[in-house]
């Protein structure tokens, strides 16, 4: 029975292994990159970049390099401290989770710079897993890292659900809530997502950096009010959300935007 229990346990770990998940859902076939019914002819692109983050990002990156080898031009992944893995073509940065830190912010800034100025001849592969919301910390204009740290801590202590927390974070970030696709546009973006969310809502996992966002500034402000922290969040946080509600700031990208 002990041997059987170990075998069952090991089989469960193998089934959930991030690298094996990538290998099951991505393949290279005569110059075509295929994933879950989508196909990309690699000779149509001049560059292939890899970006993303999460606690499983490095392991996912290993599997991706195993499939694409030297076809990858460059890349950057952000993972939790202690979760890095040696990669050849993709740089891996370790940062803090669940409250973001300077390392995660610098990595997100570097990632944003990597995505700047791309064109239709670039294919961006984005690898996302749980934890990327905190690890890819790219504060929106007017918001500092300390502001995001404070509001994240306040909401966690107040018992905010993950969708509530993410609604706020999306509106304080450049990359979350579809922001990554907006930064990369008009490059083609393909995403592999390892879900840690019940129901697999793509806009919730990692705060949905590559999918349309249906939350609003008004909802983010309501979350702070509902959780009783509106009066104690940093001034810059409240000011940005209120400015967004008043129409003074652009909303996160919504369904139908050209970038998608």
């Amino acid at each position: 029975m002990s041997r059987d229990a170990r075998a069952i346990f090991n089989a469960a770990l193998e089934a959930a292994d991030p690298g094996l998940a990538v290998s099951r859902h991505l393949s290279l076939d005569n110059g075509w990159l295929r994933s879950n019914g989508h196909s990309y002819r690699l000779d149509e692109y001049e560059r292939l970049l890899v970006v993303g983050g999460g606690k499983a990002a490095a392991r996912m990156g290993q599997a991706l390099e195993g499939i694409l080898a030297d076809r990858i031009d460059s890349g950057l992944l952000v993972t939790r401290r202690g979760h890095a893995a040696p990669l050849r073509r993709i740089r891996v940065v370790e940062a803090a989770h669940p409250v973001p830190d300077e390392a995660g912010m610098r990595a997100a800034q570097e990632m944003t710079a990597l995505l700047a100025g791309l064109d239709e001849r670039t294919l961006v592969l984005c690898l996302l897993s749980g934890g990327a919301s905190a690890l890819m910390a790219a504060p929106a204009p007017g918001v500092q890292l300390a502001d995001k740290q404070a509001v994240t801590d306040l909401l966690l202590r107040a018992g905010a659900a993950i969708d509530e927390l993410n609604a706020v974070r999306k509106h304080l970030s450049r990359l979350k809530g579809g922001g990554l696709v907006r930064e990369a546009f008009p490059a083609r973006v393909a995403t592999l997502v390892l879900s840690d969310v019940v129901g697999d809502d793509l806009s919730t996992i990692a705060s949905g950096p590559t999918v349309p966002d249906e939350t609003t500034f008004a909802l983010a402000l309501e979350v702070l009010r509902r959780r009783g922290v509106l009066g104690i969040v940093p001034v810059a946080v409240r000011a940005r959300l209120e400015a967004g509600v008043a129409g003074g700031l652009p909303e996160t990208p919504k369904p139908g935007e050209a970038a998608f």
Side-chain angles (χ1 to χ4, degrees):
M1 289 182 68
S2 177
R3 285 194 300 272
D4 289 345
R6 288 193 180 94
I8 292 168
F9 180 75
N10 289 334
L13 290 180
E14 181 176 339
D17 181 273
L20 294 178
V22 170
S23 299
R24 285 195 299 268
H25 292 277
L26 193 73
S27 64
L28 185 61
D29 177 24
N30 292 323
W32 287 85
L33 186 64
R34 305 187 191 277
S35 179
N36 291 1
H38 298 276
S39 298
Y40 309 89
R41 188 175 181 85
L42 294 185
D43 64 8
E44 294 180 354
Y45 300 97
E46 294 177 350
R47 299 177 65 197
L48 196 161
L49 303 180
V50 179
V51 297
K55 289 174 280 186
R59 182 73 181 94
M60 295 171 76
Q62 278 186 318
L64 187 66
E65 285 194 342
I67 295 168
L68 291 172
D70 294 341
R71 291 177 181 265
I72 298 171
D73 289 281
S74 63
L76 175 64
L77 297 172
V78 193
T79 193
R80 186 178 183 176
R81 287 198 174 87
H83 288 62
L87 300 180
R88 294 187 303 109
R89 310 287 292 188
I90 307 167
R91 195 164 80 86
V92 179
V93 174
E94 292 185 326
H97 175 277
V99 177
D101 66 356
E102 288 279 350
M105 184 182 72
R106 288 194 299 271
Q109 290 171 338
E110 183 179 340
M111 193 179 299
T112 302
L114 192 64
L115 296 171
L118 302 182
D119 59 23
E120 297 90 341
R121 299 283 289 171
T122 301
L123 176 62
V124 178
L125 297 181
C126 184
L127 306 180
L128 298 173
S129 65
S133 293
L135 294 164
M136 295 164 57
V143 179
Q144 303 299 315
L145 175 62
D147 299 326
K148 294 192 71 172
Q149 291 171 324
V151 74
T152 299
D153 186 61
L154 284 169
L155 286 171
L156 288 173
R157 291 176 182 273
I162 186 63
D163 59 326
E164 294 178 313
L165 181 60
N166 285 353
V168 174
R169 293 194 288 198
K170 288 175 183 180
H171 288 84
L172 302 175
S173 172
R174 290 185 62 178
L175 295 179
K176 297 176 178 63
L180 191 151
V181 165
R182 183 179 272 175
E183 295 286 340
F185 185 74
R188 184 72 175 271
V189 179
T191 311
L192 291 175
V193 183
L194 183 63
S195 175
D196 66 336
V197 175
V198 175
D200 304 331
D201 177 18
L202 294 178
S203 67
T204 299
I205 305 164
S207 295
T210 62
V211 296
D213 175 38
E214 297 190 359
T215 71
T216 62
F217 280 107
L219 176 60
L221 200 63
E222 173 57 27
V223 168
L224 299 183
R225 184 178 294 110
R226 184 190 312 146
R227 289 296 174 179
V229 299
L230 181 59
I232 56 175
V233 296
V235 173
V237 169
R238 182 166 181 169
R240 176 174 173 80
L241 298 184
E242 289 179 341
V245 171
L249 296 172
E251 259 292 357
T252 50
K254 306 303 179 192
E257 184 165 317
F260 300 114

